Amino acid sequence: MVADAMAAPAAGWDFGWLSGRAHGSDPSWSYPELARAHIAAAGRLLDVDTGGGELLASLRPLPRHTWATEGWLPNIAVARGRLEPLGVTVVPAPDRETLPLEDQSVDVVLNRHGRLAAHEVRRVLRPGGRLLTQQVGSDDCAELNEALGAPPAHPAGSWNLNAAGAALTRAGLKLTREEEEHPVLTFHDIGAVVYHLRLVSWQIPGFSPERYDSALRRLHRRMCSEGRFDVRAHRFLITAQRPDAGALGNSGAVRRAAGHDGDHDR
């Protein structure tokens, strides 16, 4: 099972290999439904940390002017192959603390499980523009680290609804919706655990089956006995709006340094 999990494809942000082997972690709200509602009123859209573009592609039809950023090099080619035929400009963003777009250039920023740079979000939003973000909290799957004897991925309570909301408020955004939940994620075999840790590489930095061989075998025996292994995910949702009514400024989108013209027909 471990060998199968290590050999399975892991490009983009597609957890399809886990179908039937793990389930859960979805909160009570539907991020895709909320995203579609935001997109419907947007002329210019940005999707932050798009991964392989899987989710954004599923939300089409997309606005005529749509950009997606991605910071992980292997994902950029995958995202471009999926999104550029839909008219989306995929922009590399190796510095995840900045967004490579012009000031006040988009109506809506989508961010599902991406880095949330609050001041950058406010900067790229037009007056009245909106943010929709679903974040993974710092307590996500902490039981997995405990079971394998690994250090916590993050300090407990360091990234949650309160912390993110405070950052967005300090940046000058008005919060319009706030929710936080801890849904259950169930693994049915040790291969699912290994594959999850391959894709979510920050859960246990430096993870390898060899390094954690004894702990994986111990958890495998536990799962065979109990039939499953449950952990608690950590998700929170925020919608926010830039309330100020200042001048629109430059409506061009992607910075010239990135080599893209945001006003061309696509």
Side-chain angles (χ1 to χ4, degrees):
M1 286 186 284
V2 169
D4 288 346
M6 293 302 294
W13 194 243
D14 183 3
F15 287 80
W17 190 83
L18 289 176
S19 178
R21 309 182 75 151
H23 72 274
S25 84
D26 290 329
S28 61
W29 61 81
S30 170
Y31 179 89
E33 288 183 9
L34 294 170
R36 289 188 181 96
H38 279 68
I39 288 172
R44 291 171 174 263
L45 172 69
L46 168 63
D47 186 38
V48 176
D49 287 345
T50 196
E54 296 87 355
L55 179 61
L56 183 59
S58 75
L59 301 176
R60 60 185 185 272
L62 299 171
R64 178 167 172 255
H65 298 290
T66 297
W67 295 267
T69 64
E70 175 56 31
W72 193 46
L73 184 60
N75 275 348
I76 293 172
V78 177
R80 282 178 170 163
R82 178 174 284 113
L83 296 175
E84 286 185 348
L86 305 179
V88 178
T89 300
V90 178
V91 186
D95 179 2
R96 298 180 66 198
E97 296 301 327
T98 62
L99 295 174
L101 275 77
E102 296 287 357
D103 296 354
Q104 302 183 21
S105 55
V106 295
D107 303 305
V108 170
V109 172
L110 299 180
N111 181 324
R112 183 179 183 269
H113 302 176
R115 181 71 61 88
L116 187 61
H119 282 86
E120 284 290 280
V121 170
R122 183 190 183 280
R123 181 182 65 77
V124 302
L125 280 174
R126 290 176 164 182
R130 294 171 294 158
L131 164 72
L132 168 66
T133 184
Q134 177 178 300
Q135 291 285 304
V136 178
S138 55
D139 298 336
D140 189 60
C141 300
E143 296 92 344
L144 187 52
N145 297 63
E146 293 172 7
L148 296 181
H154 307 282
S158 59
W159 185 239
N160 55 25
L161 182 64
N162 289 338
L168 292 168
T169 299
R170 287 194 301 269
L173 296 174
K174 179 182 178 181
L175 307 184
T176 55
R177 179 173 178 177
E178 304 170 75
E179 297 192 43
E180 187 166 30
E181 296 180 359
H182 293 79
V184 173
L185 171 60
T186 298
F187 296 100
H188 294 289
D189 64 68
I190 200 65
V193 171
V194 170
Y195 188 78
H196 177 87
L197 291 172
R198 282 184 64 201
L199 264 65
V200 188
S201 57
W202 54 88
Q203 186 73 45
I204 300 181
F207 170 82
S208 71
E210 295 77 18
R211 182 177 180 183
Y212 285 88
D213 180 77
S214 296
L216 287 169
R217 293 180 184 277
R218 185 168 58 249
L219 180 57
H220 169 66
R221 291 191 293 270
R222 173 181 168 184
M223 295 173 74
C224 289
S225 174
E226 299 177 4
R228 59 195 289 165
F229 175 52
D230 291 341
V231 301
R232 290 179 305 153
H234 183 188
R235 301 286 184 269
F236 60 89
L237 178 86
I238 295 177
T239 63
Q241 187 170 32
R242 176 172 174 166
D244 57 297
L248 290 180
N250 187 348
S251 62
V254 182
R255 291 188 189 276
R256 296 187 184 277
H260 295 275
D261 178 1
D263 291 319
H264 68 282
D265 291 343
R266 289 181 285 121

